[in-house]
Amino acid sequence: MGNRPVALSRPGGFAFGGWHPDAVLLRWIREVADEPLLIDPAHRDLESRENTWSLSLAPEKHGSSSAHEVVAAFEECASVLRERVRSLDYDGPVTFYVWHDQQAGQLRCSTASLPEDELPFGARVELVSLHSIAEEFLDDEVPGLVRRADLRPPSDDEAEETGPAEFVVRVWTTLLDKTQ
């Protein structure tokens, strides 16, 4: 692979590895707006496959961009997507959303013909600022891994009181449809 950027990818795909990872990351975020876009509520699984993107950096490259730069790139991307969606003959809800997939060590984004409160996650969704997601991703020193020092078994009291830990996905959303 050498030192050239590999590719922006769908989940499970490639990582970035370029000379200037911060510039590559920001460029690829912006270019998501020009990728194929499918708005088809009757085929949400196809919509998800076509519209979901994963962005990764090598562990040593995390922190090379600022959260403000990542936010600006995603806001530009959303603005272009908003214009594209508004030009379609579709009147339903459309949401662009971004999250940090900690287990995969990736920053992910997608567009769905769903309102913000019905995103396709099998967990509880917590709406947060885009800045906090960007910071969390950029500050991840070991993407896709949990350090042994961060693992802590629950005490017996905690296990009885809370039961299994609830998984929460922290997500930033913006509406792209004609109502906005």
Side-chain angles (χ1 to χ4, degrees), residues 81-88 176-180:
L81 285 170
R82 186 172 290 109
E83 293 307 313
R84 289 180 65 192
V85 167
R86 288 179 178 173
S87 72
L88 300 174
L176 303 179
D177 55 55
K178 296 176 181 175
T179 62
Q180 296 300 305

Side-chain angles (χ1 to χ4, degrees), residues 65-131:
S65 294
S66 76
H68 294 291
E69 291 170 313
V70 171
V71 167
F74 272 120
E75 287 175 344
E76 285 179 40
C77 177
S79 179
V80 172
L81 285 170
R82 186 172 290 109
E83 293 307 313
R84 289 180 65 192
V85 167
R86 288 179 178 173
S87 72
L88 300 174
D89 186 26
Y90 177 74
D91 290 326
V94 179
T95 303
F96 177 67
Y97 54 105
V98 178
W99 71 102
H100 174 213
D101 184 333
Q102 293 176 339
Q103 291 176 322
Q106 298 173 333
L107 195 56
R108 294 190 180 188
C109 62
S110 191
T111 304
S113 59
L114 292 165
E116 294 171 302
D117 60 349
E118 294 180 21
L119 296 177
F121 291 102
R124 186 169 67 84
V125 172
E126 177 185 353
L127 298 179
V128 297
S129 74
L130 182 53
H131 191 270

Side-chain angles (χ1 to χ4, degrees), residues 16-76:
F16 292 103
W19 286 101
H20 304 287
D22 50 345
V24 173
L25 175 64
L26 301 174
R27 184 185 71 197
W28 282 98
I29 290 170
R30 289 179 176 99
E31 289 181 0
V32 165
D34 299 321
E35 293 296 328
L37 179 65
L38 177 65
I39 303 299
D40 187 353
H43 297 97
R44 293 232 166 85
D45 56 336
L46 290 173
E47 193 178 72
S48 178
R49 277 196 304 268
E50 187 68 27
N51 299 341
T52 302
W53 299 94
S54 299
L55 299 102
S56 300
L57 289 173
E60 67 275 6
K61 304 298 184 190
H62 276 244
S64 60
S65 294
S66 76
H68 294 291
E69 291 170 313
V70 171
V71 167
F74 272 120
E75 287 175 344
E76 285 179 40

